[in-house]
Amino acid sequence: QVQLVESGGGSVQAGGSLRLSCAASGYTYSSDYMAWFRQAPGKEREGVAAIYTGGGSTYYADSVKGRFTISRDNAKNTVYLQMNSLKPEDTAMYYCAAGRGGSWSNFGYWGQGTQVTVSS
């Protein structure tokens, strides 16, 4: 059974930083994509960052480029999202996802989410 467990969310002031973690279990982790998505109230879910766990290639939404960094520790089956220079518009529920990647729609496994709140 695949499990993705996120942690690290919280409340922070604008300009601050947070690091999210996603621990994967029951999943062949080493040759697929892991990603972070977010969904704000009243908005559609959007892809934020993705990483190819086999080679480390990364992809980012334009809205977070230069501020967020996705990374992985294959030995721990864990993916991280370092978020710097946070803005109030980054406030959302953040979800970890796993799957074949290639597009934001090609992720079939999801975590339960962790809330990030950025105050101005």
Side-chain angles (χ1 to χ4, degrees):
Q1 181 179 355
V2 176
Q3 270 197 315
L4 302 175
V5 180
E6 302 101 330
S7 61
S11 297
V12 65
Q13 288 193 327
S17 298
L18 284 173
R19 188 175 84 151
L20 306 182
S21 299
C22 173
S25 62
Y27 180 69
T28 303
Y29 170 91
S30 62
S31 60
D32 266 346
Y33 288 82
M34 300 284 290
W36 289 94
F37 289 74
R38 67 186 181 187
Q39 187 167 22
K43 294 189 176 181
E44 292 187 355
R45 185 175 62 195
E46 63 172 345
V48 173
I51 187 166
Y52 178 55
T53 57
S57 298
T58 57
Y59 307 88
Y60 296 94
D62 288 343
S63 58
V64 306
K65 280 181 183 176
R67 300 188 298 121
F68 290 11
T69 302
I70 189 170
S71 61
R72 93 284 194 206
D73 184 335
N74 287 358
K76 296 182 178 179
N77 278 12
T78 299
V79 172
Y80 305 97
L81 185 68
Q82 178 66 45
M83 305 185 294
N84 298 328
S85 302
L86 282 161
K87 304 175 180 180
E89 51 264 44
D90 294 318
T91 295
M93 185 71 80
Y94 283 71
Y95 298 92
C96 177
R100 301 308 303 272
S103 74
W104 292 118
S105 63
N106 205 12
F107 290 86
Y109 300 103
W110 296 87
Q112 81 288 352
T114 186
Q115 178 68 37
V116 171
T117 303
V118 184
S119 58
S120 57

